[in-house]
Amino acid sequence: MEPKRVYIVTMGCQMNIYDSEQMERILAAMNYRPTAHVQKADLIILNTCSIREKAEHKVYSYLGRLARMKRKRPDLIIGVGGCVAQQQGYRLIERAPHVDMVFGTFAVKRLSGLIRQVTEQKRQVVDVNQTGTVEPSHIAPSDSQAGRATAFVTIMSGCDNFCSYCVVPYVRGREVSREPRGILEEIQQLVAHGVQEVTLLGQNVNSYGLKNGHGFDFPALLEAVNRIPGLKRLRFTTSHPKDLSDKLIGAFAGLETLAPHMHLPVQCGADRILRRMNRGYTRDDYLAGIEKLRKVRPDIAVTSDVIVGFPGEEEIDFEETLRLVESVGFDNLYTFKYSDRPMTPAARFSRKVGEAVKRERLARLLELQTRMTLEKHRSLVGTTQEVLVEGLSKKMDHQITGRTPCNKVVNFSDGAACVGQLVPVKIVEAFPHSLLGGPVKPGRLYSGYRGGILHAA
Ligand code: 5AD
Ligand code: SF4
């Protein structure tokens, strides 16, 4: 039977990328194949994010555009999954009546049943039940995962930390860790399909397994993954500074596949605000953690998240953040303007910071970080980096793109590189968001992994 076509739009974090791949695997079993053309789709799924207000607005504007398509083609199925779906439930259908299916973060595994209800019973369905197991229903790689150099593997869901600004504990529920066996099996299958690098995902991977009570904690999981034959690089995200244990820091010394990069969101440099954020560490604790990490792995890249304009943030607090950013010397920083999220304590905090002040602080922070990132990148010019080839650059014509162990993007214009290969590349120029590599072996076509050709010229 002719396959049906699905078009999935993934918004937000890596967790959603993993969930979208899960959806792809489930849909493949229902004879749906992915399409790159929204116009050709029989099923369109928006996998949504609600971490900040802006992300939520994006969902409704996208849905607005789909309304016209649905009027022209009433058979088209429109589904909304992810965090906005979980939070909005029926309200989403009231606001966007052309949506056929609303399924929350817990309902991904029930997707096939929901689609059948839509097609067979010709009715709208909503599933925002907070029930289900953390284990994925399919662990065999999806079509789009096979043949890629890198993959994400979710090792836990939810979060117990309740940072006062954050909606995640409400939309993704309490923290639950997957069993190690399923995780290891999933990674083994990915490696068998050519994946070279795996990133383990969780809201706070440092507390992996602690609630399961079987003594198999995150460092133990890293050790077990490190032993999987054929896996070249291992990464993880996100770590919470309050749970950065010596054992985890030690893993950077002993595990050969573990890439020297740690994403360690600090959020703010002022103790007063960190307390109001309910982060559970001080500025000094954070700095001490970075020092320990660098002692064990001097070349480690450290990246972070910062929120500006948290309720009550004064100019002196913000200046403490600037000073912290300057003294740590992050490799990269993800910066956000605080926005109120429903249900979170901070939404009810007084002394909100005005939009203009937030904008101004964000610009100052970005200016500082861009200068520092560029400095770091410039110090790499002239060095040779081991680059894992990911494919053709989307932004730079005729260029191959990949990443260094420290997770820096390198584009290079020539070489005999295949997807999934590790190649030594000499860095010739530095930009704020990437590095330019010199030619490896000129004048050849890049034969892609498993027979595909990367047309470089
Ligand atoms: N406003 C702004 N940024 C937020 N983040 C989480 N919640 C909010 C919010 N309400 C940021 C944090 C987190 C990142 C994923 O998003 O910095 O680490
Ligand atoms: Fe949100 Fe804090 Fe949990 Fe991160 S640790 S997901 S910021 S509540």
Side-chain angles (χ1 to χ4, degrees), residues 13 51-53 165-168 203 238 263 265 267 279 305-308 334 336-341 344:
C13 65
I51 193 93
R52 285 170 294 276
E53 212 172 3
Y165 52 81
C166 185
V167 78
V168 166
Q203 301 297 344
T238 296
H263 184 61
Q267 312 296 1
R279 290 291 286 176
D305 293 346
V306 168
I307 299 175
V308 300
Y334 300 88
F336 309 104
K337 281 187 287 183
Y338 168 80
S339 64
D340 280 340
R341 305 312 297 130
T344 62

Side-chain angles (χ1 to χ4, degrees), residues 378-427:
R378 284 196 181 127
S379 72
L380 295 173
V381 172
T383 65
T384 297
Q385 298 287 322
E386 185 188 61
V387 175
L388 176 62
V389 176
E390 290 179 18
L392 285 179
S393 167
K394 284 195 191 99
K395 289 200 187 123
M396 317 278 277
D397 263 357
H398 310 311
Q399 290 204 336
I400 303 295
T401 191
R403 279 168 199 263
T404 68
C406 289
N407 213 27
K408 300 195 183 291
V409 173
V410 179
N411 295 306
F412 57 107
S413 54
D414 235 325
C418 308
V419 168
Q421 228 180 26
L422 288 166
V423 286
V425 179
K426 186 155 182 197
I427 307 304

